[in-house]
Amino acid sequence: DWSNGVAQAQFDKLEMICRKLRLKPGDRLLDIGSGWGGLVCHAAQNYGVTAHGITLSQEQLAFAREKVKRLGLEDRITFELTDYSKVSGRFDKIASIGMYE
């Protein structure tokens, strides 16, 4: 909706992504280039997933970890400062939004 503000547009974007991923409670989500933590927090809060975000930015990592702590999601979200080619583990769904190489 063109009359929506930025906050609603961001919410709508995250909702669309989560629906397209067909997230469901218990899924393990990997967010490559997790940025400020928006997707993993939204997915954990609204879809009941466990999520792992990776980033190359120390500043974004610190912000995202603090956000997770503030929201009380430490038991469902982890972050790692690493390159995506070095990630190990098993995931049900993988997302990468706006990451350019």
Side-chain angles (χ1 to χ4, degrees):
D1 186 337
W2 290 104
S3 64
N4 286 345
V6 173
Q8 185 63 49
Q10 177 72 351
F11 179 87
D12 292 346
K13 176 185 82 171
L14 295 173
E15 271 296 298
M16 181 180 66
I17 293 164
C18 289
R19 284 193 318 266
K20 284 186 172 190
L21 288 169
R22 297 183 179 147
L23 295 179
K24 60 187 180 304
D27 277 351
R28 179 112 171 97
L29 170 65
L30 172 64
D31 185 7
I32 299 172
S34 57
W36 308 102
L39 176 61
V40 292
C41 289
H42 184 87
Q45 286 180 308
N46 297 289
Y47 289 84
V49 305
T50 301
H52 184 66
I54 61 168
T55 182
L56 294 175
S57 168
Q58 186 66 49
E59 182 180 352
Q60 288 180 332
L61 177 67
F63 180 92
R65 283 182 172 161
E66 180 56 37
K67 180 177 184 174
V68 166
K69 185 176 181 181
R70 186 174 66 249
L71 295 173
L73 297 170
E74 302 98 330
D75 62 329
R76 292 190 284 169
I77 300 174
T78 56
F79 288 100
E80 186 177 4
L81 186 69
T82 191
D83 183 84
Y84 70 91
S85 66
K86 295 180 172 75
V87 173
S88 63
R90 295 182 59 96
F91 301 94
D92 300 301
K93 309 288 173 62
I94 299 173
S96 179
I97 303 162
M99 190 180 91
Y100 295 97
E101 288 299 311

